[in-house]
Every structure is written in structure tokens, then in C-alpha cells.
Amino acid sequence: MWNVGSKALLCAWSIVFLTMLHAPVRAAQIEFRPELLERLAGLRSIYPSQGPASILGNESPITTLENDVDQVRTAADPAGSTVIEITGIIDKGDAAKLERLLRTPKFLAGIVFDSPGGNFLEGFAIAEKIRYVLESQDPNVGGVYVLNGGKCLSACAIAFALSVDLVHEANDGRYIETGAQLGFHVGFLPGEKAEQVGRVGDVLNLSYDIAAAFNKLLIGGANPPRLLREALKHRSANSFYMLRGGLNSWNMGFSPVAKGLLSRPVYGYGLDHDLAARLCNAYMLAGRAFKSGVDLEYGLFFPGREVSGVLLMEVAESEGSGVLSTGSAHGIFSCQIQIRKDKKVRIALWRGETGCAAGPVNPRGKGWCAGKPRVSKPVRLGLLADTLGCSNGRYVKGTEFQKYKRPGSIKREVNMRSAPTLDGEVLERLQPSLNVEIVNCSVKPDSQGVWFKIKTDNRTGWVSARFVFEKYNGPGLPID
């Protein structure tokens, strides 16, 4: 091995920020792409919107149902809007190119990234240019995107992750479309440079400089510490901690989006205590709000098996309110389910008391009571599918404790059908408490949303997942 002095080793600092590529690729192209406006406008959030302040889990403000609207960033005037796209290898000088385009008088509906990486230092510089605009008095950027079929790796991922507004109390604007690739790793020394030998002090200094640079990911709560921990595990050109716009991306603080099935609204038909509690648990466990060890061990929402199958719409009718609140087991978190006049379901989660004046009036409520409406977010089919172990339509096996099976029982009388649709032939009328095994699942654009293929003692067929009580609360959420 070649022994190098401290000066040569420290020169490696610039090299460590270059991603090695195995084939020639074109330099970065940074240009206006107004034809992407229509595509961005068709995307909708899959999970409740969050922001850097969501880590506090602050009490959700009281509002009115009329004023509580979805905040979707769209171009109000498409003719006066455009999109910037960054493609190719990121290199020195690209931040300056982007800055010139950011001066456009038009509203930037989005900045789309599609890059395999490049110079890490320039990735940090690009993020600084975008943040400057986002945090200004008159921000004119709707957000940053990685679209389905595209990828944003290495230095690009750094630029994307740090393009966050830490000044305004705004929802996160870093959108990952389902099927995109956002990949993180740390800077590395290529080839022969990694074999060089230097003084221990110089090597430590280089390591400290790398750690200091990557620590920017955590400033102001822009990203959770776990993102840095995961990135540190990947130290070569082809090794990445990859996010693809699913629940894990949301857990990391980003905003997964989709067009179509996964972004469809969830309706209140067949929504019972059990499923409502599971939705609240999914929001708490996968959302950005900080959870202590006590919260994770004792703070879940448990409705009780005896009220599984009791519909929230029935409780809402008896309470005279479609706004129902409940508290977690140890009373730290509260959750609210809202069933609107159009039967669409919304959810709110906060640290603090439920705010119910007199507790549950209806004994069948089992902890749910009419509450004052909080600022809430729509429940989308993507969150429901993850909650029910059918992420993106893929069946999730049970845990090792369950021997990888998913046992359950029927909550209420329900038709077993030949196909996962309300139009499927009725094979049998199943009765409450019948033991079943869940063997497959499907996500559909109907009032039920998620269907289970179940096996009884003598038959196999499909039922709405809302009518199946899963033992052990199902297979768990698909987060690392």
C-alpha cells in the first residue's frame, strides 16, 4: 500500500464527496419543464401530512368542520407556473445554475430530482439554494419531488432531504411518488484512495469532517436521527438505504404521494372500534411524533375485544356527532376519528387529553366520545392497506411468534365472496366469532378498500377486511 502524508490524505476530502459510477453518464441538466405541471397536479398524499414540528406531537388545534380543508399544494394559475427538473450527475457549479432559474417570476409548482448522485458538497449547496426560497417571506416553490420511475441517490438524496422549510409552520413539501427511489449512503473513498495509509489523527479529522457535514441532515429536526443511522450503514457506491414512497418514507418524515388507488379516500362503512384503534396506532407508531419507551410499550389504543364489530357510525348516531375521540392506554396520546357527511374518514392525533366534556355517553362507545373537531387529515387507502397488512396490495406474512400465519375471527355477519369485490358471487354467510386464517389480500377502489382472502375449516373465499378481527393486532407495520 502507498503511504501518504497528511496533506495528501486531507486532499481526499474532496474525493470522498464524489459518487463512483460504472458507466459514463451525462452531466446535470437543470431546466424548466412546464409539461410536468399536469403530472404533479394529479398527485395526492397517501398519509396524513406532517412537518418538522410534528415531532412534538402538539395538541391538534380545535377548528370547525367547514374550515378544516385539505392543504394540497397546486398551481392556482398553471399559465403562470412551471417546474424545474434536475437530471444527470450533480457537479460543482450546479447550485449556481439552479439559483439563476429560481429567480423566475413564475410560481414553481415543484423541483423534480432524477439523478444518480455526484458531488456531495454540491448536493448540500443545492439544498441551501432551495431552502433560501422556501424560508423566504414570499416562497414560490411548491415542493421537491422524486417521481415514479425516477431516482434520487447519494448527493441527490442529500439535496432532496435538506430542501425543507424550517421557518414556517408548514407541512412537509418533499414528495416521493410511489415507485420512485430515494437512496442514501455516506461519502466514500473510491478505489485505490481507500487503500492509502495516513496518520491516525488525519484519518480521524477526515471522519469528523464527514460526520459534521452529514449532521446537517438533523439540524432543526429536518430529518429524524434514524435516517442518518441508516445512511451510515451504507458505505460503497452501490449500497443505499432506499426509500420508495411507502410507509417507511412517511416514518422518515417525507411525504409519499400517488395518483389513483392508494390516494383514494377511505369511507366509514364497516369501520368499527377495532379498525379505528388500529388506524390510530398506525398514525402514532409510523408518524413523526416522538415516542418514548413508555409510549411504545403502554401507549397504544386498545378498544377491547368485546366491542370489536361495533361500528363507529352507530356510535356517532347515538352520540349525535360524527366526531369521536379516544385516549391511548396510558392517556398520553389522543386520537380523533371524523366521519363526514359524505362518509369520508379523517383522523387527528395529538399529545394531550381527549377534550371530551363528559366522557363516553354510550356504554357501547368503550372510550369513544363526542369531541370538539380538531384539525384533521384525510385517511387514504394507502394508510388503511398498511394498517391491515396489505401494503400496496401485497400480503404481509404474520410474525415469527405467529409462525408467519395470520389467524383471526369474524366480527359481524358477512358474506364470503368468490372475488374481492362487492359484485363477487356470495359463497357463504359467515357468522360472528368464526375462526379463520388470512391467506391473501387485495386493495380495491370500492367502499371497503381492502379485502382478505380467508380460509375456514371447509372453504376459501374473500371478505371485506373490515369484518375480520386479527389476533395479536396483525403482522405489524412495514417500517424498519
Side-chain angles (χ1 to χ4, degrees), residues 19-282:
T19 298
M20 292 299 292
L21 301 165
H22 296 288
V25 291
R26 61 189 176 89
Q29 298 290 317
I30 305 175
E31 56 190 352
F32 292 118
R33 291 287 305 279
E35 64 271 23
L36 291 175
L37 276 170
E38 184 177 355
R39 181 170 179 181
L40 299 190
L43 298 175
R44 293 291 179 269
S45 296
I46 302 174
Y47 306 104
S49 54
Q50 303 181 105
S54 298
I55 192 172
L56 302 175
N58 285 340
E59 190 167 354
S60 183
I62 296 174
T63 183
T64 65
L65 296 180
E66 290 74 16
N67 292 333
D68 182 13
V69 296
D70 298 342
Q71 295 185 4
V72 180
R73 298 185 183 185
T74 58
D77 178 18
S81 305
T82 190
V83 175
I84 291 177
E85 185 178 41
I86 301 174
T87 60
I89 297 299
I90 294 172
D91 205 352
K92 188 174 181 179
D94 286 339
K97 295 178 186 177
L98 175 63
E99 184 178 28
R100 288 192 288 271
L101 268 63
L102 289 172
R103 294 171 184 159
T104 177
K106 291 188 175 184
F107 174 74
L108 292 169
I111 300 173
V112 175
F113 287 92
D114 188 3
S115 166
N119 187 305
F120 270 85
L121 290 176
E122 199 66 13
F124 285 110
I126 287 174
E128 288 177 2
K129 301 301 182 185
I130 297 174
R131 272 191 61 188
Y132 181 82
V133 176
L134 290 172
E135 297 178 346
S136 66
Q137 288 185 337
D138 299 302
N140 73 325
V141 176
V144 291
Y145 291 80
V146 186
L147 299 177
N148 181 22
K151 60 185 177 182
C152 181
L153 310 178
S154 192
C156 178
I158 293 295
F160 181 87
L162 284 174
S163 296
V164 57
D165 182 357
L166 299 177
V167 174
H168 307 102
E169 292 187 7
N171 292 327
D172 180 72
R174 298 167 300 171
Y175 302 106
I176 309 173
E177 186 177 6
T178 302
Q181 297 181 68
L182 180 66
F184 295 87
H185 62 187
V186 292
F188 58 88
L189 288 168
E192 70 281 357
K193 296 294 181 182
E195 300 297 324
Q196 295 177 3
V197 176
R199 294 186 304 173
V200 173
D202 294 331
V203 174
L204 283 175
N205 285 333
L206 179 60
S207 301
Y208 295 150
D209 287 342
I210 295 173
F214 276 83
N215 191 57
K216 291 182 180 180
L217 284 171
L218 310 181
I219 293 176
N223 297 282
R226 192 163 65 86
L227 179 62
L228 178 57
R229 291 200 299 270
E230 294 295 337
L232 287 170
K233 298 176 184 178
H234 300 270
R235 307 171 187 179
S236 64
N238 296 316
S239 179
F240 297 96
Y241 174 63
M242 197 71 76
L243 298 172
R244 295 182 171 84
L247 191 68
N248 215 35
S249 302
W250 187 57
N251 180 243
M252 285 295 181
F254 301 109
S255 299
V257 292
K259 180 180 180 180
L261 188 62
L262 296 181
S263 61
R264 290 179 65 90
V266 168
Y267 293 88
Y269 307 107
L271 178 65
D272 71 328
H273 289 245
D274 170 58
L275 181 52
R278 290 182 68 177
L279 284 169
C280 292
N281 286 331

Side-chain angles (χ1 to χ4, degrees), residues 271-410:
L271 178 65
D272 71 328
H273 289 245
D274 170 58
L275 181 52
R278 290 182 68 177
L279 284 169
C280 292
N281 286 331
Y283 196 166
M284 186 190 76
L285 293 172
R288 287 203 69 180
F290 173 77
K291 281 82 62 175
S292 67
V294 173
D295 295 333
L296 294 173
E297 187 171 2
Y298 301 107
L300 297 179
F301 298 88
F302 291 111
R305 178 67 180 89
E306 68 276 12
V307 293
S308 176
V310 177
L311 301 181
L312 255 65
M313 287 176 64
E314 294 177 353
V315 177
E317 183 177 353
S318 64
E319 293 275 0
S321 172
V323 179
L324 300 173
S325 300
T326 190
S328 59
H330 72 329
I332 300 298
F333 279 97
S334 292
C335 184
Q336 184 173 97
I337 297 290
Q338 300 176 6
I339 303 177
R340 298 294 179 85
K341 292 179 180 179
D342 58 6
K343 307 306 179 188
K344 291 179 182 178
V345 178
R346 298 177 68 91
I347 191 169
L349 181 85
W350 66 93
R351 283 186 178 275
E353 298 181 355
T354 60
C356 300
V361 177
N362 184 348
R364 286 167 61 84
K366 184 68 178 182
W368 292 92
C369 63
K372 295 180 179 179
R374 306 276 177 169
V375 172
S376 60
K377 310 294 170 60
V379 178
R380 306 287 188 185
L381 197 45
L383 178 61
L384 179 67
D386 286 321
T387 300
L388 290 171
C390 192
S391 297
N392 204 12
R394 293 188 295 268
Y395 173 78
V396 180
K397 293 182 180 179
T399 63
E400 183 178 2
F401 173 76
Q402 298 168 277
K403 298 181 179 178
Y404 304 106
K405 294 184 177 181
R406 292 176 59 179
S409 59
I410 299 299

Side-chain angles (χ1 to χ4, degrees), residues 424-445:
E425 177 188 356
V426 176
L427 303 177
E428 187 177 348
R429 184 75 172 172
L430 303 181
Q431 299 301 310
S433 300
L434 175 69
N435 290 326
V436 299
E437 181 184 346
I438 303 164
V439 297
N440 206 346
C441 69
S442 182
V443 179
K444 296 293 182 181

